[in-house]
Amino acid sequence: MSLFRLYARVIALLGKERRLGWTLAIANLLLATAQFAEPVLFGRIVDVMSGNLATGALVPEARSPWPLLAAWVGFGLFTIFCSAAVALHADRLAHRQRQTVLTGYFEHILQLPLTYHTGTHSGRLIKVMLQGTDALWRVWLGFFREHFAALLSLLVLLPLSLFINWRLALLLFALCGVFTVLTTLVVRKTYGMQNEVEAQYSDLSARASDALGNVALVQSYVRIDAEVQGLRFVADKLLAAQMPVLSWWALVTVITRASTTITVLAIFALGIVLNQQGLTSVGEIVMFVSFATLLIQRLEQVVSFVNSLLMEAPRLQEFINVLDAVPAVHDRPDAIDPGRLSGLVEFRDVSFSYDGKRPAVEDLSFTALPGQTIALVGATGAGKSTAIALLHRAFDPQSGVVKIDGMDIRGLTLSGLRRNIGVVFQEALLFDRSIADNLRVGKPDASDAELRLAAERAQALDFIERSDLGFDTSAGERGRMLSGGERQRLSIARALLKDPPILILDEATSALDAVTEAKVNLALDEVMKGRTTFVIAHRLSTIRHATCILVFEHGKVIESGTFDELVAQGGHFAELARAQFMVQEDARATVATPAHDTTVGL
């Protein structure tokens, strides 16, 4: 994205503040015009006092300098008060809109699919959010307080100088030409270099966040020195990339200063020659020197503006790229909120592929009646998690349809659909907040009595009450203040509070010891009552009483039935059961095959 387009996007992000932005722009135009009254009036006063008036003057002839001085005071007071008002409202606009854009960005990234977050480091997203909004704030503030007025000043000054004396004005045009060429060359030279600098900043943020997120690993494997050295290496690369950019802009500053000094000297030299020929007055020479001084100030502001915009460009580009990321799954214009569903789930010829080449699930069809338990079994990568992800619309299938209560889930609002689905993850996900706050994620308006009942049903009340703070106890970052079993029981209590008609258990007990697993299984039995439950399991002991077991392989269901039916078939599931000592070698000969359940199947 070019700097011009990038800057246009930055201004567009003003959103509802654009009306105030236009007001400030008009005020800047008035300021730019008023500021040129000073050198013009200064020159006229010199001419009046010397008695050498120039023809075609912008200010009417006057015999006394006092009216001109009074006009100067009037313009000065207007400039002071107008500048103060612009600065005040520019500050307020920039601060208000920074908070608005920050919260909007945060909401946007929370809506992005899990696949996006899987491939993007959370440290980078936070760095982009903070640095991006800070960059927006600086650009907005600088634009309305200084930079826009500086640009408008150039647009007013150059035509005005031509009108006063075109010969002297040519020198001012030469100064602007030199500046424009130099700035364009440096921007082209350093734009890509600054992008590399920002990439190094992202690496620095991600590496630091990664080490802090795994501090237990760092300490236990004596990796502190290695991680610090790694961070120092990234920081050295960052400096190596940044220094050439700074050198180029230092060169521009030196050349700009030199050009302006030469221009002032040239104005005096040419002015003396023209004055001797009667082509200009002393006042006009003084006026053009003041113009040159003012032009120097404005050019330095423009240089600062272009420099700051160049430095901020990669951060702004990263920020806008994240904002432009479109969620793969979103609400249709006619999507409806279904309210509470009963839990009838149907997959009809569903297929999905991540890369468009190898199907993750293929021609998946089954029906789960309300209250039934469906287990998904298979090797890692067989398609179990993908099938469940399709149920709560982490993705949409490329073909086929998923229905709940007879309705295509793509016709439901995402919030309405997901309110009806509870998930107990393999890794219990907890906020760094109190236990009560973590439980209320399932039901924000839950009373203390409801929290206590849910904790009791989830076998969690005993360890909560052992703490001095009870439900006000902090779970710590990622729940690290609690044991694995305690975290898992809290996640079950959270699901109980949500009370969804559809429940997903994603390897909810795989990382627990036998005693803790027994407690968690009691809690799971409680939370599964009366709900359509989908269980992703490797431990077959957890699905012994499932209504139907679906055996996945390479994205397809190769076997389905109850536990005893599948063992009796002697197929892939029976081999898994024997490997986990769930059945004896001669189990097929001793287990009777019950009649097929006509309510659940492929």
Side-chain angles (χ1 to χ4, degrees):
M1 185 181 293
S2 66
L3 278 178
F4 179 79
R5 286 185 58 202
L6 182 63
Y7 200 64
R9 285 294 303 273
V10 169
I11 299 303
L13 284 172
L14 285 172
K16 295 180 180 179
E17 298 285 353
R18 267 181 281 188
R19 179 176 296 179
L20 177 57
W22 278 110
T23 303
L24 291 173
I26 294 172
N28 273 296
L29 179 60
L30 294 175
L31 272 174
T33 304
Q35 286 171 350
F36 288 103
E38 180 177 339
V40 172
L41 290 170
F42 186 24
R44 294 296 295 127
I45 289 173
V46 170
D47 280 338
V48 168
M49 295 180 67
S50 66
N52 184 19
L53 295 178
T55 58
L58 291 177
V59 181
E61 290 188 15
R63 296 183 180 274
S64 171
W66 295 109
L68 298 175
L69 190 62
W72 190 348
V73 171
F75 277 107
L77 290 174
F78 171 79
T79 300
I80 292 171
F81 287 111
C82 190
S83 297
V86 167
L88 175 63
H89 289 288
D91 282 357
R92 292 179 176 179
L93 177 150
H95 280 85
R96 281 198 305 266
Q97 197 58 21
R98 175 172 62 174
Q99 303 309 320
T100 300
V101 172
L102 185 146
T103 53
Y105 172 95
F106 187 66
E107 179 182 11
H108 175 72
I109 61 175
L110 288 178
Q111 293 173 340
L112 292 174
L114 293 178
T115 50
Y116 182 90
H117 290 279
T118 300
T120 307
H121 199 284
S122 59
R124 175 182 175 271
L125 289 175
I126 294 173
K127 170 254 181 188
V128 169
M129 178 177 71
L130 296 178
Q131 291 193 353
T133 51
D134 282 348
L136 286 170
W137 172 75
R138 286 189 290 268
V139 171
W140 287 330
L141 193 62
F143 179 82
F144 288 114
R145 289 187 64 173
E146 295 178 354
H147 302 146
F148 189 51
L151 292 172
L152 289 175
S153 296
L154 295 178
L155 296 178
V156 173
L157 183 148
L158 295 175
L160 181 63
S161 63
L162 276 174
F163 182 79
I164 295 173
N165 191 310
W166 65 268
R167 297 175 181 85
L168 293 173
L170 290 178
L171 289 174
L172 299 181
F173 275 90
L175 175 60
C176 287
V178 170
F179 162 75
T180 302
V181 170
L182 286 175
T183 305
T184 302
L185 290 174
V186 172
V187 167
R188 289 182 177 178
K189 181 71 176 178
T190 59
Y191 189 44
M193 297 165 67
Q194 187 61 31
N195 284 328
E196 175 62 25
V197 171
E198 199 56 35
Q200 298 296 336
Y201 270 115
S202 294
D203 290 345
L204 188 73
S205 177
R207 189 176 185 94
S209 177
D210 202 31
L212 290 173
N214 294 282
V215 66
L217 178 67
V218 171
Q219 292 179 354
S220 63
Y221 278 80
V222 198
R223 289 278 306 174
I224 294 177
D225 290 341
E227 291 300 321
V228 171
Q229 187 63 33
L231 192 69
R232 186 177 291 117
F233 175 73
V234 176
D236 289 342
K237 288 178 63 179
L238 190 157
L239 282 175
Q242 183 73 80
M243 290 305 176
V245 178
L246 300 178
S247 299
W248 275 101
W249 281 102
L251 179 62
V252 168
T253 302
V254 171
I255 296 177
T256 302
R257 286 296 184 111
S259 300
T260 52
T261 301
I262 293 170
T263 302
V264 172
L265 292 174
I267 288 174
F268 269 115
L270 181 59
I272 291 172
V273 173
L274 293 176
N275 181 259
Q276 291 174 346
Q277 297 176 1
L279 297 175
T280 188
S281 67
V282 174
E284 283 186 353
I285 296 174
V286 173
M287 190 185 305
F288 267 84
V289 171
S290 298
F291 278 170
T293 303
L294 193 59
L295 182 63
I296 291 168
Q297 296 174 354
R298 295 295 178 258
L299 287 178
E300 287 178 344
Q301 288 178 348
V302 172
V303 168
S304 174
F305 161 65
V306 176
N307 187 13
S308 63
L309 183 59
L310 180 73
M311 294 298 183
E312 305 288 10
R315 297 167 190 163
L316 295 170
Q317 182 71 66
E318 272 193 311
F319 187 85
I320 290 171
N321 286 343
V322 176
L323 281 183
D324 288 345
V326 179
V329 176
H330 50 80
D331 289 340
R332 290 178 175 177
D334 58 346
I336 62 170
D337 188 331
R340 185 174 178 82
L341 299 168
S342 63
L344 171 63
V345 177
E346 301 172 87
F347 277 64
R348 290 287 173 262
D349 302 318
V350 172
S351 295
F352 176 80
S353 173
Y354 291 101
D355 56 10
K357 300 176 182 178
R358 184 175 62 87
V361 294
E362 186 175 6
D363 297 328
L364 179 59
S365 297
F366 67 88
T367 299
L369 297 182
Q372 292 185 330
T373 298
I374 309 299
L376 290 75
V377 175
T380 300
K384 309 182 299 298
S385 296
T386 301
I388 295 303
L390 292 170
L391 176 60
H392 57 84
R393 289 197 71 195
F395 327 100
D396 281 332
Q398 274 106 24
S399 63
V401 62
V402 180
K403 294 183 177 182
I404 299 180
D405 290 1
M407 296 179 287
D408 187 337
I409 62 174
R410 290 171 291 193
L412 309 179
T413 62
L414 285 169
S415 59
L417 169 67
R418 291 170 182 172
R419 274 198 306 270
N420 283 276
I421 300 175
V423 184
V424 178
F425 299 96
Q426 179 178 3
E427 178 188 0
L429 305 176
L430 298 176
F431 293 111
D432 186 10
R433 302 167 194 173
S434 70
I435 288 176
D437 288 339
N438 274 286
L439 294 182
R440 285 196 172 98
V441 170
K443 186 180 181 183
D445 58 349
S447 65
D448 291 343
E450 289 175 312
L451 292 183
R452 185 178 180 84
L453 178 60
E456 184 178 8
R457 293 176 63 191
Q459 310 294 311
L461 189 59
D462 55 344
F463 75 80
I464 294 175
E465 290 186 333
R466 282 199 302 268
S467 172
D468 294 336
L469 297 177
F471 283 91
D472 292 328
T473 302
S474 174
E477 185 180 4
R478 299 179 182 270
R480 287 173 179 167
M481 299 295 290
L482 305 171
S483 69
E486 290 169 345
R487 291 196 296 268
Q488 198 63 287
R489 279 177 277 173
L490 285 181
S491 68
I492 294 169
R494 185 170 57 198
L496 279 167
L497 273 174
K498 186 176 183 181
D499 190 27
I502 301 171
L503 180 67
I504 297 171
L505 303 178
D506 187 359
E507 288 286 349
T509 63
S510 63
L512 304 178
D513 60 82
V515 175
T516 304
E517 181 183 5
K519 292 181 179 179
V520 172
N521 280 332
L522 287 174
L524 289 175
D525 290 340
E526 187 68 25
V527 77
M528 290 167 62
K529 287 180 181 177
R531 310 178 200 282
T532 306
T533 305
F534 294 88
V535 183
I536 299 177
H538 288 293
R539 289 188 186 180
L540 303 186
S541 59
T542 61
I543 59 170
R544 182 67 179 79
H545 302 293
T547 311
C548 181
I549 299 171
L550 306 178
V551 183
F552 281 74
E553 189 175 77
H554 302 307
K556 294 184 176 181
V557 175
I558 57 173
E559 296 174 7
S560 66
T562 65
F563 188 96
D564 291 337
E565 288 175 340
L566 293 175
V567 170
Q569 289 176 15
H572 186 76
F573 182 83
E575 292 180 6
L576 292 176
R578 284 194 293 273
Q580 296 186 24
F581 305 104
M582 292 292 295
V583 294
Q584 301 297 323
E585 287 295 330
D586 59 349
R588 282 182 295 172
T590 60
V591 177
T593 304
H596 285 282
D597 186 344
T598 58
T599 60
V600 179
L602 293 173

